[in-house]
Amino acid sequence: MLNEQGYHIAVVGATGAVGKKMLETLEKKNFPIKSLKLLSSSRSAGNKIEFKGESFIVEEAKPESFEGVQIALFSAGGSVSKKLAHEAVARGAVVVDNTSAFRMDKDVPLVVPEVNEADIANHNGIIANPNCSTIQMVAALKPIQDKYGISRVIVSTYQSVSGAGDAATDELKQQTQAFLNGDELKPELLPVAGEEKHYPIAFNALPQIDVFQENGFTFEEMKMINETKKIMHAPELSVAATCVRLPFFNAHAESVYVEIDDENVQVSDLQNAIANAQGVILEDDPTNQVYPTPLSATDKSEVFVGRVRRDLDNSKGFHLWVVSDNLLKGAAWNSVQIAESLVKNNWL
Amino acid sequence: MLNEQGYHIAVVGATGAVGKKMLETLEKKNFPIKSLKLLSSSRSAGNKIEFKGESFIVEEAKPESFEGVQIALFSAGGSVSKKLAHEAVARGAVVVDNTSAFRMDKDVPLVVPEVNEADIANHNGIIANPNCSTIQMVAALKPIQDKYGISRVIVSTYQSVSGAGDAATDELKQQTQAFLNGDELKPELLPVAGEEKHYPIAFNALPQIDVFQENGFTFEEMKMINETKKIMHAPELSVAATCVRLPFFNAHAESVYVEIDDENVQVSDLQNAIANAQGVILEDDPTNQVYPTPLSATDKSEVFVGRVRRDLDNSKGFHLWVVSDNLLKGAAWNSVQIAESLVKNNWL
């Protein structure tokens, strides 16, 4: 494991759904690591985790934990990031934060490397990883924006439970079995842990992800709206979102309507732009029933796009179906990509 | 059962998912029936079905079956309707057809009673029942169209498997249990029976309902587009649809973006219009996490609307979440409503 040319890395939230995927991704992509610190809440401290054949003991995350750390990947919830990210930076670490704590801060770059890698250079110690449903959408839209300009986006999401953590995955499993057995469903977590009401997710669809804002949109929807504008450097872009939690375990899908600036673009032009984009794979052949699904995208790093077609009434309008693994490109892999970029470009 | 003031009724496809719901609905709504004929393919002929405490034997549907029938409710697939609907009409029956066989025919009214009941008067023996996903959307849009005018609709659907029949419901059940047991999934039916490829529906999302058309839209999507314009008498209305099959058993949900003609309308105006509409129930209180879901709408006749909010960029744009039981309002109940209207208005 030890790599003298590697870096001192910490993973905060190492026992969570995303933290585990971060470790898998660091291992799979062979990220150069000189030392690895696995951090968590006091509740999970003491757990053992295997990494590249070595056993690591999870420690409670404290300010002192970050002494000597060069890159800290945070994914332990916004309150932990707010408490500890600046402590890590004060001790010399660069933080890649996978919570919403700093995403909209003016001096914090919000980065999807395929879209705005150069923004990383302007970091002041913290780089934010966007919301999962935002990442896959902007990765799919970027090649279209670059070639044809985009003015408007309306998205409806189909989001898996793993975005709400391991407990939500367990809840879907348990409720599903209970439903099949004819037993009563006892929702305790979804749509939002900590909210007053809980609804069954098994064989259902919940039009609420995160808490409602005063304007009637949920916080998840506002994340998609605001983060998209920031990542794409497009404050004037119109973005609307409806976010829905669905009974599948992994990967998010999105029905995206996009208006471009040029009305002479053909479907094949858009397909070519998408097919040639970095990190994006076109899976679009209706004649042969080829399109991505949550199951087909699971465990893959890329963003998959299918169902590209022109609106029948607006020649500047197109519809897309965008699918990606929310724990990988939507979280762990995007964070590790940011870490790779920090290293490759000497932006640490 | 026998009601001397009632009508001679036939149900074609009586053993199917919708046929069974038609019988339940006729019974529940106490439709006046003098005689009842249950018809099906030869495969299901001979089955016994209970109706109002009496046992009926299902007969094979043939041209002669319709002798003496006044109202025939068809839901046995388009090919059966094409073969037998005109035979029924020739024998004096009025056909309420729940397939896509005649929906776009110029001389066949396509009816959602809350929207265009008066069109029934112009029938020439056949009245078409619209596609399930269309019915609930136009019911929700009608009060908005009436009060404020609408120019554009973009919908992404969240559709249950029961719309694909009992076999699809069985497939979801079996695959779900297999998935939980860690067994291999063996898709044999969805997304479309008869198509070459089949994909797992358990814990997945399939962006294909019905077969693809040359323009890249599926037939289900084109049904929503074309039927909406016809029912709402709005040939100039822009409609776009993305239809997705999801792993729940019953009720369809829809994320609907609608542009109205008047930019001074408030969210509360739209909510009031919806709340006062016939057959539509407003369930919209974000502060208390009140919104409809497929499970909450199951076994109910109405269309439920929640998440009403104004687009953040377009003051004429609004977003809605529309949910209804696809077997009831989306099929059986809408057909029985048409039959009730035929009787009530002496339009037989």
Side-chain angles (χ1 to χ4, degrees), chain A residues 16-23 25-26 73-76 96-99 103 111-114 127-136 162-165 250-252 300-303 324-339:
Chain A
V18 173
K20 284 184 283 187
K21 287 287 175 185
M22 281 175 170
L23 292 169
T25 304
L26 288 167
L73 304 175
F74 273 69
S75 191
V96 181
D97 183 40
N98 186 45
T99 76
R103 285 179 189 152
V111 176
V112 178
E114 291 87 347
I127 300 126
N129 197 70
N131 183 48
C132 46
S133 48
T134 312
I135 291 176
Q136 67 184 66
S162 65
N250 202 47
H252 293 345
K300 293 178 185 155
S301 300
E302 294 86 357
V303 173
S324 190
D325 189 318
N326 56 301
L327 296 180
L328 291 179
K329 182 57 189 165
W333 169 227
N334 198 72
S335 290
V336 172
Q337 275 182 300
I338 293 170

Side-chain angles (χ1 to χ4, degrees), chain A residues 209-249:
Chain A
I209 300 183
D210 218 323
V211 294
F212 282 100
Q213 312 294 291
E214 286 223 341
N215 62 6
F217 286 78
T218 60
F219 189 45
E220 181 84 355
E221 291 159 357
M222 292 312 299
K223 286 182 217 166
M224 288 196 79
I225 292 167
N226 293 324
E227 294 179 15
T228 296
K229 297 179 195 199
K230 178 169 177 177
I231 300 164
M232 301 190 89
H233 299 172
E236 302 302 320
L237 180 65
S238 293
V239 186
T242 300
C243 292
V244 182
R245 186 76 73 190
L246 290 167
F248 42 86
F249 290 109

Side-chain angles (χ1 to χ4, degrees), chain A residues 64-212:
Chain A
E64 316 80 82
S65 311
F66 299 96
E67 295 288 352
V69 169
Q70 290 172 287
I71 301 175
L73 304 175
F74 273 69
S75 191
S79 59
V80 174
S81 292
K82 279 178 187 157
K83 204 175 127 197
L84 291 176
H86 289 294
E87 299 285 354
V89 173
R91 285 165 177 80
V94 174
V95 168
V96 181
D97 183 40
N98 186 45
T99 76
S100 62
F102 308 110
R103 285 179 189 152
M104 296 311 296
D105 286 10
K106 271 193 184 148
D107 63 346
V108 173
L110 181 67
V111 176
V112 178
E114 291 87 347
V115 180
N116 63 333
E117 181 177 14
D119 289 359
I120 299 174
N122 305 319
H123 78 80
N124 296 302
I126 300 176
I127 300 126
N129 197 70
N131 183 48
C132 46
S133 48
T134 312
I135 291 176
Q136 67 184 66
M137 185 170 79
V138 297
L141 292 178
K142 173 66 173 172
I144 303 173
Q145 184 196 36
D146 282 352
K147 271 199 127 159
Y148 307 110
I150 65 177
S151 56
R152 185 173 205 189
V153 176
I154 299 173
V155 57
S156 295
T157 71
Y158 301 71
Q159 296 186 228
S160 69
V161 295
S162 65
D166 282 343
T169 295
D170 290 343
E171 181 166 63
L172 174 59
K173 259 187 218 158
Q174 286 163 11
Q175 279 184 10
T176 303
Q177 192 60 66
F179 193 108
L180 291 179
N181 295 349
D183 297 338
E184 202 192 334
L185 304 188
K186 290 178 188 152
E188 293 177 348
L189 194 149
L190 291 169
V192 182
E195 282 265 85
E196 195 165 325
K197 289 184 189 165
H198 301 290
Y199 297 110
I201 183 65
F203 305 109
N204 206 9
L206 303 179
Q208 181 189 3
I209 300 183
D210 218 323
V211 294
F212 282 100

Side-chain angles (χ1 to χ4, degrees), chain B residues 16-204:
Chain B
V18 173
K20 285 183 283 185
K21 287 287 174 185
M22 281 175 170
L23 292 169
E24 277 179 38
T25 305
L26 288 167
E27 186 164 340
K28 193 171 159 193
K29 304 285 182 178
N30 208 22
F31 190 88
I33 296 176
K34 192 168 187 175
S35 74
L36 180 65
K37 223 172 231 185
L38 304 188
L39 304 171
S40 75
S41 64
S42 59
R43 196 163 32 92
S44 300
N47 282 1
K48 278 183 192 169
I49 290 183
E50 292 282 316
F51 182 81
K52 286 197 174 182
E54 273 185 50
S55 186
F56 289 78
I57 292 174
V58 179
E59 299 167 37
E60 183 181 350
K62 295 178 180 173
E64 315 82 80
S65 311
F66 300 95
E67 296 287 354
V69 169
Q70 292 172 286
I71 301 175
L73 305 174
F74 273 69
S75 191
S79 58
V80 174
S81 292
K82 279 178 188 158
K83 203 174 128 198
L84 291 175
H86 289 293
E87 299 285 355
V89 173
R91 286 164 177 80
V94 174
V95 168
V96 182
D97 183 39
N98 186 42
T99 76
S100 62
F102 309 109
R103 284 179 191 152
M104 296 311 296
D105 286 10
K106 271 192 185 150
D107 63 346
V108 173
L110 181 66
V111 177
V112 178
E114 291 87 347
V115 181
N116 62 334
E117 181 178 15
D119 289 357
I120 298 174
N122 305 319
H123 77 79
N124 297 300
I126 300 177
I127 299 124
N129 197 70
N131 183 48
C132 45
S133 48
T134 311
I135 292 177
Q136 66 183 68
M137 185 170 78
V138 297
L141 292 178
K142 173 67 173 171
I144 303 173
Q145 184 196 35
D146 281 353
K147 272 200 128 158
Y148 306 111
I150 64 176
S151 56
R152 184 173 206 188
V153 177
I154 299 173
V155 56
S156 296
T157 72
Y158 301 71
Q159 295 185 230
S160 70
V161 295
S162 66
D166 282 342
T169 295
D170 291 343
E171 182 166 63
L172 174 59
K173 258 186 218 158
Q174 286 163 12
Q175 279 184 12
T176 303
Q177 192 61 67
F179 193 107
L180 291 179
N181 295 347
D183 296 337
E184 202 191 333
L185 303 188
K186 289 177 188 155
E188 291 176 349
L189 195 150
L190 290 169
V192 183
E195 282 263 86
E196 196 166 325
K197 290 184 190 166
H198 300 292
Y199 297 110
I201 183 64
F203 305 110
N204 206 10

Side-chain angles (χ1 to χ4, degrees), chain B residues 250-271:
Chain B
N250 203 46
H252 293 344
E254 297 174 345
S255 167
V256 182
Y257 170 74
V258 56
E259 271 174 25
I260 63 172
D261 295 337
D262 182 343
E263 67 182 349
N264 297 311
V265 175
Q266 300 304 311
V267 167
S268 56
D269 297 328
L270 242 63
Q271 288 171 319

